[in-house]
Short mmCIF file of all heavy atoms in Angstrom, two decimals:
data_model
loop_
_atom_site.label_atom_id
_atom_site.label_comp_id
_atom_site.label_asym_id
_atom_site.label_seq_id
_atom_site.Cartn_x
_atom_site.Cartn_y
_atom_site.Cartn_z
N CYS A 588 -13.73 -1.64 -7.01
CA CYS A 588 -14.43 -2.17 -5.89
C CYS A 588 -14.29 -1.23 -4.67
O CYS A 588 -13.39 -0.21 -4.77
CB CYS A 588 -13.92 -3.55 -5.46
SG CYS A 588 -12.25 -3.61 -4.93
N TYR A 589 -15.06 -1.34 -3.68
CA TYR A 589 -15.05 -0.56 -2.44
C TYR A 589 -13.60 -0.54 -1.87
O TYR A 589 -13.03 0.39 -1.44
CB TYR A 589 -16.08 -0.80 -1.43
CG TYR A 589 -16.21 0.02 -0.36
CD1 TYR A 589 -16.86 1.40 -0.46
CD2 TYR A 589 -15.55 -0.12 0.89
CE1 TYR A 589 -16.90 2.23 0.67
CE2 TYR A 589 -15.57 0.64 2.04
CZ TYR A 589 -16.21 1.85 1.77
OH TYR A 589 -16.21 2.74 2.92
N ALA A 590 -13.16 -1.89 -1.65
CA ALA A 590 -11.88 -2.16 -0.90
C ALA A 590 -11.40 -3.53 -1.44
O ALA A 590 -12.13 -4.36 -1.90
CB ALA A 590 -12.00 -2.08 0.53
N TYR A 591 -10.16 -3.82 -1.20
CA TYR A 591 -9.65 -5.11 -1.43
C TYR A 591 -8.45 -5.36 -0.44
O TYR A 591 -7.99 -4.45 0.23
CB TYR A 591 -9.05 -5.17 -2.85
CG TYR A 591 -7.85 -4.38 -3.12
CD1 TYR A 591 -6.63 -4.91 -3.09
CD2 TYR A 591 -8.02 -3.11 -3.64
CE1 TYR A 591 -5.58 -3.95 -3.35
CE2 TYR A 591 -7.02 -2.23 -3.93
CZ TYR A 591 -5.70 -2.69 -3.77
OH TYR A 591 -4.61 -1.89 -4.05
N ALA A 592 -8.06 -6.64 -0.25
CA ALA A 592 -7.02 -7.02 0.62
C ALA A 592 -6.20 -8.08 0.05
O ALA A 592 -6.76 -8.99 -0.70
CB ALA A 592 -7.52 -7.50 1.90
N THR A 593 -4.92 -8.19 0.27
CA THR A 593 -4.08 -9.38 -0.06
C THR A 593 -3.47 -9.92 1.15
O THR A 593 -3.26 -9.15 2.13
CB THR A 593 -2.93 -8.88 -1.07
OG1 THR A 593 -2.10 -8.01 -0.32
CG2 THR A 593 -3.39 -8.31 -2.27
N LEU A 594 -3.37 -11.18 1.17
CA LEU A 594 -2.69 -12.10 2.33
C LEU A 594 -1.78 -12.99 1.70
O LEU A 594 -2.25 -13.81 0.78
CB LEU A 594 -3.81 -12.70 3.14
CG LEU A 594 -4.52 -11.75 4.05
CD1 LEU A 594 -5.92 -12.23 4.30
CD2 LEU A 594 -3.79 -11.50 5.35
N SER A 595 -0.62 -12.95 2.12
CA SER A 595 0.41 -13.95 1.67
C SER A 595 0.55 -15.01 2.90
O SER A 595 0.75 -14.67 4.02
CB SER A 595 1.79 -13.40 1.43
OG SER A 595 1.57 -12.51 0.30
N ASN A 596 0.23 -16.30 2.54
CA ASN A 596 0.04 -17.30 3.37
C ASN A 596 0.96 -18.56 3.37
O ASN A 596 1.36 -18.84 2.12
CB ASN A 596 -1.34 -17.83 3.53
CG ASN A 596 -2.26 -16.60 3.67
OD1 ASN A 596 -2.39 -16.11 4.69
ND2 ASN A 596 -3.00 -16.36 2.70
N SER A 597 1.23 -19.25 4.34
CA SER A 597 2.02 -20.56 4.38
C SER A 597 1.03 -21.47 5.08
O SER A 597 0.51 -21.08 6.03
CB SER A 597 3.27 -20.53 5.08
OG SER A 597 4.22 -19.66 4.40
N GLY A 598 0.94 -22.74 4.57
CA GLY A 598 0.16 -23.71 5.29
C GLY A 598 0.50 -25.06 5.10
O GLY A 598 1.25 -25.47 4.09
N THR A 599 0.19 -25.96 6.16
CA THR A 599 0.57 -27.32 5.96
C THR A 599 -0.58 -28.16 6.35
O THR A 599 -1.52 -27.69 7.14
CB THR A 599 1.59 -27.68 7.04
OG1 THR A 599 1.35 -27.37 8.35
CG2 THR A 599 2.96 -26.96 6.74
N LYS A 600 -0.71 -29.35 5.94
CA LYS A 600 -1.75 -30.31 6.16
C LYS A 600 -1.06 -31.68 6.49
O LYS A 600 -0.31 -32.16 5.57
CB LYS A 600 -2.76 -30.27 5.07
CG LYS A 600 -3.87 -31.33 5.35
CD LYS A 600 -4.80 -30.86 6.40
CE LYS A 600 -6.08 -31.77 6.48
NZ LYS A 600 -7.07 -31.20 7.17
N PHE A 601 -1.36 -32.23 7.56
CA PHE A 601 -0.77 -33.67 7.79
C PHE A 601 -1.94 -34.53 8.32
O PHE A 601 -2.39 -34.39 9.47
CB PHE A 601 0.39 -33.62 8.78
CG PHE A 601 1.17 -34.88 9.10
CD1 PHE A 601 1.95 -35.37 8.00
CD2 PHE A 601 0.96 -35.58 10.13
CE1 PHE A 601 2.57 -36.61 8.24
CE2 PHE A 601 1.58 -36.72 10.40
CZ PHE A 601 2.48 -37.21 9.39
N ILE A 602 -2.36 -35.34 7.55
CA ILE A 602 -3.39 -36.45 7.81
C ILE A 602 -4.70 -35.69 8.11
O ILE A 602 -5.47 -35.51 7.36
CB ILE A 602 -2.87 -37.47 8.83
CG1 ILE A 602 -1.59 -38.10 8.41
CG2 ILE A 602 -3.93 -38.58 8.98
CD1 ILE A 602 -1.41 -38.83 7.20
N LEU A 603 -4.86 -35.52 9.45
CA LEU A 603 -6.25 -35.02 10.00
C LEU A 603 -6.09 -33.51 10.24
O LEU A 603 -7.14 -32.84 10.29
CB LEU A 603 -6.63 -35.75 11.16
CG LEU A 603 -6.99 -37.26 11.03
CD1 LEU A 603 -7.30 -37.94 12.27
CD2 LEU A 603 -8.12 -37.43 9.99
N PHE A 604 -4.99 -32.95 10.59
CA PHE A 604 -4.92 -31.54 11.08
C PHE A 604 -4.11 -30.76 10.12
O PHE A 604 -3.09 -31.21 9.62
CB PHE A 604 -4.47 -31.42 12.43
CG PHE A 604 -5.12 -32.41 13.47
CD1 PHE A 604 -4.64 -33.69 13.75
CD2 PHE A 604 -6.37 -32.00 13.98
CE1 PHE A 604 -5.33 -34.52 14.71
CE2 PHE A 604 -7.11 -32.80 14.84
CZ PHE A 604 -6.55 -34.06 15.20
N GLY A 605 -4.47 -29.54 10.14
CA GLY A 605 -3.69 -28.47 9.20
C GLY A 605 -3.83 -27.16 9.95
O GLY A 605 -4.75 -26.80 10.68
N SER A 606 -2.97 -26.31 9.43
CA SER A 606 -3.01 -24.74 9.81
C SER A 606 -2.27 -24.05 8.71
O SER A 606 -1.53 -24.46 8.02
CB SER A 606 -2.21 -24.64 11.16
OG SER A 606 -0.84 -24.90 11.04
N SER A 607 -2.67 -22.76 8.78
CA SER A 607 -2.08 -21.67 7.83
C SER A 607 -1.94 -20.61 8.65
O SER A 607 -2.66 -20.26 9.57
CB SER A 607 -3.01 -21.49 6.65
OG SER A 607 -3.08 -22.61 5.88
N HIS A 608 -1.15 -19.63 8.18
CA HIS A 608 -0.95 -18.31 8.81
C HIS A 608 -0.43 -17.36 7.71
O HIS A 608 0.20 -17.90 6.70
CB HIS A 608 -0.05 -18.31 9.95
CG HIS A 608 1.34 -18.61 9.66
ND1 HIS A 608 1.76 -19.84 9.44
CD2 HIS A 608 2.35 -17.88 9.33
CE1 HIS A 608 3.04 -19.81 9.11
NE2 HIS A 608 3.44 -18.59 9.12
N GLY A 609 -0.65 -16.10 7.90
CA GLY A 609 -0.15 -15.17 6.93
C GLY A 609 -0.48 -13.77 7.32
O GLY A 609 -0.87 -13.40 8.41
N ARG A 610 0.16 -12.84 6.57
CA ARG A 610 0.11 -11.43 6.74
C ARG A 610 -0.23 -10.72 5.50
O ARG A 610 0.00 -11.26 4.32
CB ARG A 610 1.38 -10.83 7.31
CG ARG A 610 1.87 -11.53 8.58
CD ARG A 610 2.59 -10.63 9.41
NE ARG A 610 2.91 -11.20 10.68
CZ ARG A 610 3.43 -10.62 11.71
NH1 ARG A 610 3.65 -9.39 11.60
NH2 ARG A 610 3.58 -11.27 12.78
N GLY A 611 -0.86 -9.47 5.50
CA GLY A 611 -1.21 -8.86 4.34
C GLY A 611 -1.48 -7.35 4.50
O GLY A 611 -1.39 -6.76 5.65
N LEU A 612 -2.19 -6.87 3.53
CA LEU A 612 -2.60 -5.40 3.48
C LEU A 612 -4.02 -5.25 2.93
O LEU A 612 -4.20 -5.85 1.81
CB LEU A 612 -1.52 -4.73 2.69
CG LEU A 612 -1.70 -3.09 2.63
CD1 LEU A 612 -1.57 -2.49 3.95
CD2 LEU A 612 -0.65 -2.59 1.60
N ALA A 613 -4.84 -4.46 3.60
CA ALA A 613 -6.09 -4.19 3.01
C ALA A 613 -6.17 -2.63 2.58
O ALA A 613 -5.53 -1.77 3.36
CB ALA A 613 -7.25 -4.41 4.08
N VAL A 614 -6.79 -2.42 1.49
CA VAL A 614 -6.78 -0.99 0.87
C VAL A 614 -8.21 -0.59 0.68
O VAL A 614 -8.90 -1.26 -0.10
CB VAL A 614 -5.91 -0.88 -0.41
CG1 VAL A 614 -5.99 0.47 -0.94
CG2 VAL A 614 -4.45 -1.37 -0.21
N ASN A 615 -8.60 0.48 1.25
CA ASN A 615 -9.92 1.04 0.99
C ASN A 615 -9.89 2.05 -0.24
O ASN A 615 -9.16 3.06 0.03
CB ASN A 615 -10.51 1.61 2.27
CG ASN A 615 -11.87 2.04 2.17
OD1 ASN A 615 -12.28 2.66 1.12
ND2 ASN A 615 -12.72 1.79 3.15
N ASN A 616 -10.46 1.72 -1.26
CA ASN A 616 -10.33 2.61 -2.46
C ASN A 616 -11.14 3.85 -2.21
O ASN A 616 -10.78 4.85 -2.94
CB ASN A 616 -10.93 1.85 -3.69
CG ASN A 616 -9.96 0.82 -4.24
OD1 ASN A 616 -8.71 0.94 -4.05
ND2 ASN A 616 -10.47 -0.24 -4.80
N LYS A 617 -12.17 3.93 -1.43
CA LYS A 617 -12.98 5.07 -1.12
C LYS A 617 -12.37 6.07 -0.24
O LYS A 617 -12.42 7.29 -0.44
CB LYS A 617 -14.34 4.68 -0.69
CG LYS A 617 -15.14 3.75 -1.56
CD LYS A 617 -15.30 4.36 -3.01
CE LYS A 617 -16.10 3.34 -3.89
NZ LYS A 617 -15.94 3.61 -5.26
N THR A 618 -11.69 5.56 0.92
CA THR A 618 -11.12 6.46 1.87
C THR A 618 -9.67 6.58 1.80
O THR A 618 -9.12 7.57 2.40
CB THR A 618 -11.44 6.00 3.21
OG1 THR A 618 -10.87 4.74 3.57
CG2 THR A 618 -13.03 5.78 3.37
N GLY A 619 -8.88 5.62 1.13
CA GLY A 619 -7.52 5.71 1.03
C GLY A 619 -6.85 4.92 2.27
O GLY A 619 -5.63 4.83 2.30
N GLU A 620 -7.64 4.58 3.25
CA GLU A 620 -7.13 3.87 4.42
C GLU A 620 -6.50 2.58 4.04
O GLU A 620 -6.87 1.82 3.12
CB GLU A 620 -8.42 3.49 5.36
CG GLU A 620 -7.88 2.87 6.64
CD GLU A 620 -9.08 2.54 7.61
OE1 GLU A 620 -10.16 2.70 7.21
OE2 GLU A 620 -8.88 2.24 8.80
N LYS A 621 -5.36 2.22 4.82
CA LYS A 621 -4.60 0.94 4.61
C LYS A 621 -4.44 0.40 5.92
O LYS A 621 -4.12 0.96 6.90
CB LYS A 621 -3.28 1.26 3.98
CG LYS A 621 -3.23 1.71 2.58
CD LYS A 621 -1.91 1.89 1.86
CE LYS A 621 -2.19 2.33 0.45
NZ LYS A 621 -0.88 2.61 -0.11
N VAL A 622 -4.64 -0.96 5.95
CA VAL A 622 -4.73 -1.71 7.18
C VAL A 622 -3.94 -2.97 7.08
O VAL A 622 -4.15 -3.80 6.10
CB VAL A 622 -6.17 -2.11 7.69
CG1 VAL A 622 -6.11 -2.94 8.93
CG2 VAL A 622 -6.99 -0.80 7.83
N TYR A 623 -2.87 -3.10 7.95
CA TYR A 623 -2.05 -4.39 7.93
C TYR A 623 -2.86 -5.51 8.70
O TYR A 623 -3.49 -5.22 9.69
CB TYR A 623 -0.65 -4.14 8.56
CG TYR A 623 0.14 -3.21 7.76
CD1 TYR A 623 0.15 -1.81 7.95
CD2 TYR A 623 0.92 -3.69 6.75
CE1 TYR A 623 0.83 -0.91 7.14
CE2 TYR A 623 1.76 -2.84 6.01
CZ TYR A 623 1.77 -1.57 6.21
OH TYR A 623 2.39 -0.60 5.39
N LEU A 624 -2.78 -6.58 8.15
CA LEU A 624 -3.56 -7.80 8.58
C LEU A 624 -2.70 -9.03 9.05
O LEU A 624 -1.65 -9.14 8.39
CB LEU A 624 -4.52 -8.20 7.46
CG LEU A 624 -5.55 -7.17 6.93
CD1 LEU A 624 -6.35 -7.63 5.68
CD2 LEU A 624 -6.53 -6.73 8.08
N LYS A 625 -3.26 -9.79 9.83
CA LYS A 625 -2.82 -11.19 10.03
C LYS A 625 -3.94 -12.18 9.72
O LYS A 625 -5.09 -11.88 9.80
CB LYS A 625 -2.50 -11.35 11.45
CG LYS A 625 -1.20 -10.65 11.89
CD LYS A 625 -0.82 -10.99 13.34
CE LYS A 625 0.47 -10.46 13.81
NZ LYS A 625 0.79 -10.84 15.23
N MET A 626 -3.59 -13.40 9.46
CA MET A 626 -4.54 -14.43 9.27
C MET A 626 -4.03 -15.79 9.93
O MET A 626 -2.84 -16.03 9.89
CB MET A 626 -4.64 -14.75 7.73
CG MET A 626 -5.84 -15.76 7.46
SD MET A 626 -5.60 -16.70 5.99
CE MET A 626 -4.59 -18.01 6.49
N LYS A 627 -5.02 -16.41 10.60
CA LYS A 627 -4.74 -17.86 11.04
C LYS A 627 -5.98 -18.64 10.69
O LYS A 627 -7.04 -18.20 10.62
CB LYS A 627 -4.67 -17.66 12.60
CG LYS A 627 -3.46 -16.87 13.13
CD LYS A 627 -3.31 -16.92 14.69
CE LYS A 627 -2.18 -15.92 14.94
NZ LYS A 627 -1.35 -16.39 15.98
N GLU A 628 -5.47 -19.96 10.34
CA GLU A 628 -6.53 -20.91 9.93
C GLU A 628 -6.23 -22.17 10.59
O GLU A 628 -5.03 -22.54 10.59
CB GLU A 628 -6.58 -20.92 8.43
CG GLU A 628 -7.54 -21.88 7.84
CD GLU A 628 -7.54 -21.81 6.36
OE1 GLU A 628 -6.58 -22.43 5.75
OE2 GLU A 628 -8.38 -21.17 5.78
N ALA A 629 -7.19 -22.93 10.96
CA ALA A 629 -6.94 -24.29 11.39
C ALA A 629 -7.94 -25.15 10.71
O ALA A 629 -9.07 -24.80 10.23
CB ALA A 629 -7.29 -24.37 12.97
N SER A 630 -7.48 -26.41 10.33
CA SER A 630 -8.49 -27.31 9.56
C SER A 630 -8.44 -28.69 10.14
O SER A 630 -7.39 -29.15 10.86
CB SER A 630 -8.08 -27.38 8.17
OG SER A 630 -6.90 -27.79 8.05
N VAL A 631 -9.53 -29.36 9.96
CA VAL A 631 -9.68 -30.79 10.42
C VAL A 631 -10.27 -31.46 9.36
O VAL A 631 -11.32 -31.11 8.71
CB VAL A 631 -10.52 -30.94 11.68
CG1 VAL A 631 -10.78 -32.47 11.99
CG2 VAL A 631 -10.08 -30.22 12.88
N GLY A 632 -9.67 -32.61 8.83
CA GLY A 632 -10.13 -33.45 7.80
C GLY A 632 -8.99 -34.18 7.12
O GLY A 632 -7.81 -33.99 7.54
N LEU A 633 -9.29 -34.85 6.07
CA LEU A 633 -8.18 -35.63 5.40
C LEU A 633 -7.33 -34.76 4.47
O LEU A 633 -7.86 -33.94 3.76
CB LEU A 633 -8.77 -36.77 4.63
CG LEU A 633 -9.47 -37.82 5.38
CD1 LEU A 633 -10.10 -38.81 4.57
CD2 LEU A 633 -8.50 -38.50 6.37
N GLY A 634 -6.08 -34.97 4.50
CA GLY A 634 -5.15 -34.15 3.71
C GLY A 634 -3.75 -34.35 3.89
O GLY A 634 -3.31 -34.85 5.10
#
Side-chain angles (χ1 to χ4, degrees):
C588 67
Y589 185 85
Y591 65 95
T593 64
L594 286 149
S595 294
N596 305 294
S597 297
T599 59
K600 179 72 174 192
F601 186 71
I602 311 296
L603 294 176
F604 304 101
S606 68
S607 296
H608 66 279
R610 298 210 177 195
L612 182 64
V614 177
N615 187 316
N616 287 331
K617 301 300 180 204
T618 66
E620 181 181 9
K621 293 183 179 178
V622 178
Y623 291 90
L624 303 168
K625 285 185 178 183
M626 185 205 85
K627 294 185 187 220
E628 180 177 83
S630 63
V631 177
L633 295 175

